[in-house]
Amino acid sequence: MSLPDRLESGSPYPLGASFDGLGVNFAVFSAHAEKIELCLFDPRGKRETMRYELPECTDEVWHGYLPDARPGIVYGYRAHGPYRPRDGHRFNPNKLLLDPYARRLVGALRWTDALHGYPVKSRRADLAFDRRDSAPAMPKAVVTHDCFDWSRDIRPNRPWSETVIYEAHAKGLTRLMEDVPPQERGTFAALAHPKVIDHLCRLGVTAIELMPIHAFVHDRFLQEKGLRNYWGYNTLSFFTPEPGYFAGDTQDELRVAVRRLHAAGIEVILDVVYNHSCEGSEQGQTLCWRGLDNATYYRLLPDEPRHCLNETGTGNTFDLTHARVIQMVADSLRYWATSYGIDGFRFDLGLTLGRTENGFDPNAGFFDVVRQDPILGRLKLITEPWDVGLGGYQLGNFPPGFAEWNDRFRDTVRSYWRGDEDRRGELAARLSGSGDLFDSRARRPWASVNFVTSHDGFTLADLVQYEERHNEANREDNRDGHENNLSRNWGVEGPTDDPRIRETRARIQRSMLLTLLASLGTPMLVAGDEFGRTQHGNNNVYCQDNEISWIDWGLLSTRQGEALFGFAARLIELRKRYDVLRAPVFPYGQDSPGDGVNDIEWWDERGRPLSSDDWRNPHGRALAMRRAVAQEDGTIEAISLLLNAGDEPLKFRLTGDACEHVLLVDSGRPDEPERAIGDTYRLLDHSAALVRSCIQKPEP
């Protein structure tokens, strides 16, 4: 291809590299650069073949047009401007920069000191200026032209009240799945495999939430220890799928997986990391945003702009008060929603996205932009309501339209089932949808994403096997990860052959699953918990890209794994069958559905309403919650959740105003079929049960 000597002026919109059929337009934002150069490379990204100066700058967007260019061109940028770290500026044209809007990468990042804008060993530290070329160690962007037929794709569009989320790692989910062809294991192609989709459908989940799949880097300190960044919370490109998750050379592999999941009625949600980048603190490397406009993209200390404001614990924080930074994030979200068919997003450290100079603001610009967007505002939006900055815990304070990870649900359920005292009142609030946190501004119970485990921490099986973390494989002297896991080993640390301990552990796992799926809110399961996956006591596997983290599907074929899976699937089926288990409004014990029956009522095991003293009793470990709704035929359907976290069996007395009681499921007797029972029911220790009651309305 013959290339011209200079670029035409082109257009400032859209940002990124855009093919129009006759050539490619390049546009990149920088408010403080003095000149930006476009560097073209050979197809492998090894040798720079041409360098152009972007000829125009419009509204702080530098742009140029390369006629006759085609998709497949490999490129990067070099930004000229002041290198004044004390003023927040770190321009260094010796550092090749990735396009923030890059949609495909070629080559891998190779760690070298030349990636830094300053000589790493200089006595002046980051105030010095490094003149080495970083291009040989940098991945490069590739011009793409998306063309995929979504015309026959039908998004499931599940109502929030019917949603059950399955959190999974795109690689770890299938890396050890023998039914998948070896070359596809651990890739996007495997997500479309019939065995994967069949498993999700048999379990009954309605959405798979994938841990970060944006292109990310493996931290230098991990690679020096022979480890890797497994979780992927270290983003290099917000528009590029992680190259290591592809089995072939086409990005349509991910699109096909999404289409097949949609065809099975399963939504796809992405865990996204827009709070920080992989560039680290001011002493980190210069790969993209730092070299293009450090003072705009990142939050800097007001009195010392040499230093990054670190509210994420990673060294830097994106400045989501700046319109162009908001635009980058919104453009990225919209791209994934339209080009890859994504149905929703979970925002890592979502509180950071709402930070202003005065702290967290639920009316921050980013939230307004997303909520009013005609595409993004219709998707499922979930936030992690905390970060490590001042005021960094805002559970329940996000605006309407967002659901939130409810860690108070997690901690309360764990604490209750391990036998802690004084948990009854807090547990009641969590079971009933956490209205004390979320019932404002017309929000609904689905805003509470309830979970007992997540990727971060113990698995469900480890929660009942270990009281201490066992993170030695992370090579941090077992000092990383959560110290207080609210777990209990029930007599032995780790695996045991003791049948009594094994049965107790199994019963408590079932009880926690039943509690989760019978509570109001949006339940979230972690992949593998449904058949007893273990991480052998490691509660921080962020750097374990190996069998510690990968799901062992062999557990599903064991007697214990098969039984736990069947129990979990049964619970999800019950949740789908009975509207009362996923009611769309918060219950407060008012006269609804009527005739003396309240939408929610609480009793002790004797069938008596709990008094104020009962709620305050620190030793009370039994609780019965009944929720009720009116049926079209005039009857009232009620579901009672019976909980016994004590060490002895208890006989629960059911209310006598029902014409029929039917046991639906009992975690203490998992094989028990649905059957009619009398007005009392004996519940084993550390067990939970669901009972359906039919209440006939009195004749007028």
Side-chain angles (χ1 to χ4, degrees):
M1 180 177 63
S2 177
L3 296 175
D5 294 332
R6 65 183 60 190
L7 299 178
E8 297 176 5
S9 60
S11 168
Y13 182 85
L15 291 169
S18 307
F19 175 64
D20 64 3
L22 299 176
V24 177
N25 189 78
F26 295 89
V28 61
F29 161 77
S30 179
H32 298 99
E34 296 170 353
K35 180 174 73 170
I36 291 184
E37 293 175 312
L38 169 69
C39 303
L40 304 186
F41 290 82
D42 68 84
R44 297 178 62 197
K46 300 294 185 182
R47 180 175 58 88
E48 185 175 330
T49 59
M50 187 72 73
R51 188 179 299 192
Y52 296 101
E53 180 178 342
L54 293 181
E56 295 288 343
C57 183
T58 305
D59 296 334
E60 300 178 334
V61 174
W62 299 79
H63 53 93
Y65 184 81
L66 185 60
D68 300 322
R70 295 288 184 268
I73 286 180
V74 178
Y75 72 100
Y77 290 119
R78 298 184 188 272
H80 297 253
Y83 188 83
R84 296 196 303 268
R86 286 195 173 95
D87 296 327
H89 299 306
R90 297 180 177 273
F91 293 97
N92 186 336
N94 300 295
K95 309 305 166 184
L96 187 76
L97 306 175
L98 196 63
D99 182 354
Y101 280 66
R103 297 184 177 185
R104 187 170 184 170
L105 305 181
V106 62
L109 186 75
R110 181 171 58 84
W111 285 113
T112 168
D113 289 350
L115 292 172
H116 293 257
Y118 64 95
V120 173
K121 298 178 182 178
S122 170
R123 278 189 271 181
R124 297 182 62 213
D126 61 302
L127 296 177
F129 186 81
D130 188 86
R131 299 185 182 278
R132 289 173 293 179
D133 185 6
S134 68
M138 278 290 295
K140 283 82 178 177
V142 182
V143 177
T144 64
H145 182 57
D146 298 337
C147 185
F148 187 81
D149 184 4
W150 288 101
S151 62
R152 296 185 182 181
D153 178 63
I154 300 176
R155 290 178 180 261
N157 287 323
R158 293 273 187 177
W160 264 110
S161 61
E162 298 177 8
T163 298
V164 180
I165 297 173
Y166 188 80
E167 188 193 31
H169 190 282
K171 179 179 182 179
L173 180 65
T174 62
R175 185 63 182 80
L176 298 177
M177 197 173 194
E178 294 184 357
D179 290 316
V180 175
Q183 69 275 15
E184 293 184 358
R185 294 173 192 167
T187 71
F188 292 129
L191 296 178
H193 194 277
K195 288 290 185 180
V196 174
I197 294 177
D198 177 66
H199 178 81
L200 298 178
C201 291
R202 287 194 303 119
L203 181 59
V205 296
T206 67
I208 183 169
E209 180 180 302
L210 296 176
M211 291 177 65
I213 64 169
H214 288 169
F216 61 90
V217 303
H218 296 281
D219 312 67
R220 187 173 187 175
F221 81 95
L222 289 177
Q223 290 194 332
E224 289 172 349
K225 293 192 293 185
L227 300 172
R228 291 162 57 85
N229 185 327
Y230 175 64
W231 282 351
Y233 292 95
N234 208 14
T235 307
L236 174 65
S237 176
F238 292 122
F239 293 77
T240 307
E242 167 54 36
Y245 293 165
F246 285 101
D249 60 359
T250 171
Q251 291 179 316
D252 286 348
E253 189 178 301
L254 175 57
R255 297 181 175 98
V256 169
V258 173
R259 275 205 60 176
R260 289 186 175 170
L261 287 162
H262 283 178
I266 298 170
E267 295 181 308
V268 181
I269 298 171
L270 296 188
D271 190 342
V272 288
V273 188
Y274 296 111
N275 57 80
H276 74 280
S277 81
C278 63
E279 291 186 308
S281 71
E282 63 277 356
Q283 295 185 340
Q285 52 277 0
T286 297
L287 308 176
C288 178
W289 307 275
R290 174 162 290 136
L292 284 170
D293 198 341
N294 182 71
T296 295
Y297 278 109
Y298 293 120
R299 299 191 69 189
L300 308 177
L301 291 178
D303 299 328
E304 292 185 274
R306 172 186 175 185
H307 301 289
C308 291
L309 187 60
N310 182 18
E311 292 168 317
T312 63
T314 64
N316 65 58
T317 306
F318 275 119
D319 185 1
L320 268 294
T321 65
H322 194 283
R324 289 294 187 182
V325 183
I326 293 177
Q327 179 188 6
M328 177 187 70
V329 176
D331 285 350
S332 170
L333 293 169
R334 205 176 298 109
Y335 175 68
W336 286 94
T338 56
S339 185
Y340 288 95
I342 299 303
D343 303 285
F345 300 95
R346 179 264 188 189
F347 297 96
D348 176 65
L349 300 187
L351 184 147
T352 305
L353 308 181
R355 282 196 174 274
T356 67
E357 293 181 356
N358 300 315
F360 175 75
D361 183 358
N363 297 311
F366 171 74
F367 298 138
D368 289 343
V369 166
V370 172
R371 292 168 63 207
Q372 63 78 42
D373 189 278
I375 294 175
L376 303 180
R378 300 170 62 185
L379 303 181
K380 287 186 167 66
L381 305 173
I382 306 169
T383 184
E384 188 179 39
W386 52 77
D387 64 14
V388 301
L390 186 66
Y393 187 78
Q394 297 290 335
L395 179 64
N397 293 332
F398 280 72
F402 284 83
E404 304 175 35
W405 270 27
N406 189 347
D407 63 323
R408 283 182 62 178
F409 181 96
R410 174 199 65 195
D411 293 349
T412 300
V413 171
R414 289 185 179 191
S415 180
Y416 173 77
W417 282 113
R418 79 169 182 176
D420 291 356
E421 295 185 346
D422 199 21
R423 294 284 83 195
R424 195 149 58 178
E426 176 74 7
L427 180 66
R430 304 307 137 232
L431 296 175
S432 55
S434 296
D436 57 326
L437 301 172
F438 295 101
D439 191 6
S440 63
R441 301 183 66 182
R443 299 179 81 182
R444 297 297 183 92
W446 58 256
S448 174
V449 176
N450 299 331
F451 62 103
V452 178
T453 59
S454 68
H455 68 272
D456 187 5
F458 281 152
T459 66
L460 184 64
D462 288 354
L463 203 58
V464 296
Q465 289 191 92
Y466 299 94
E467 293 185 8
E468 305 294 334
R469 61 193 173 195
H470 296 271
N471 299 356
E472 291 81 6
N474 296 358
R475 302 184 184 180
E476 298 181 37
D477 298 322
N478 203 35
R479 291 180 296 185
D480 61 301
H482 300 293
E483 190 172 7
N484 180 19
N485 296 280
L486 298 172
S487 60
R488 185 175 175 183
N489 63 27
W490 301 96
V492 175
E493 186 76 351
T496 180
D497 292 328
D498 187 316
R500 180 184 58 83
I501 294 176
R502 289 167 64 93
E503 172 52 31
T504 299
R505 289 174 173 177
R507 191 156 64 245
I508 292 172
Q509 287 184 74
R510 294 191 295 265
S511 296
M512 287 193 285
L513 285 174
L514 199 159
T515 306
L516 171 67
L517 287 157
S519 297
L520 277 185
T522 303
M524 183 184 79
L525 299 169
V526 178
D529 272 0
E530 72 272 22
F531 52 81
R533 181 174 77 97
T534 177
Q535 293 173 170
H536 311 289
N538 191 321
N539 72 352
N540 189 30
V541 295
Y542 78 103
C543 58
Q544 298 299 325
D545 190 0
N546 50 48
E547 287 83 354
I548 294 176
S549 298
W550 302 339
I551 292 179
D552 179 5
W553 288 91
L555 293 170
L556 181 57
S557 60
T558 65
R559 182 176 60 83
Q560 297 87 349
E562 190 178 75
L564 186 57
F565 175 84
F567 186 79
R570 185 176 172 189
L571 294 178
I572 295 174
E573 190 277 326
L574 289 173
R575 185 180 178 89
K576 293 178 178 178
R577 193 194 315 173
Y578 296 108
D579 294 342
V580 68
L581 292 178
R582 43 185 172 80
V585 295
F586 291 100
Y588 286 108
Q590 298 159 344
D591 188 26
S592 172
D595 296 303
V597 179
N598 294 323
D599 55 3
I600 189 168
E601 299 184 64
W602 306 93
W603 294 287
D604 61 16
E605 69 276 15
R606 298 165 295 182
R608 299 176 182 174
L610 291 166
S611 66
S612 297
D613 290 340
D614 291 330
W615 284 115
R616 290 192 294 265
N617 178 8
H619 306 297
R621 293 195 176 94
L623 184 64
M625 173 184 71
R626 188 181 76 178
R627 302 206 302 266
V629 294
Q631 300 291 90
E632 292 183 359
D633 62 1
T635 61
I636 296 175
E637 182 175 76
I639 300 286
S640 296
L641 172 63
L642 313 179
L643 303 169
N644 176 20
D647 295 327
E648 300 293 336
L650 282 176
K651 182 176 288 188
F652 279 76
R653 181 172 180 79
L654 304 173
T655 56
D657 51 7
C659 60
E660 180 185 50
H661 297 298
V662 176
L663 173 68
L664 299 178
V665 65
D666 183 345
S667 66
R669 303 178 179 89
D671 298 325
E672 185 94 354
E674 296 182 26
R675 61 180 177 87
I677 58 175
D679 291 338
T680 62
Y681 184 74
R682 186 174 182 270
L683 192 61
L684 296 178
D685 55 286
H686 310 110
S687 295
L690 283 179
V691 176
R692 175 184 178 271
S693 301
C694 180
I695 304 170
Q696 193 72 40
K697 282 191 175 184
E699 294 293 333

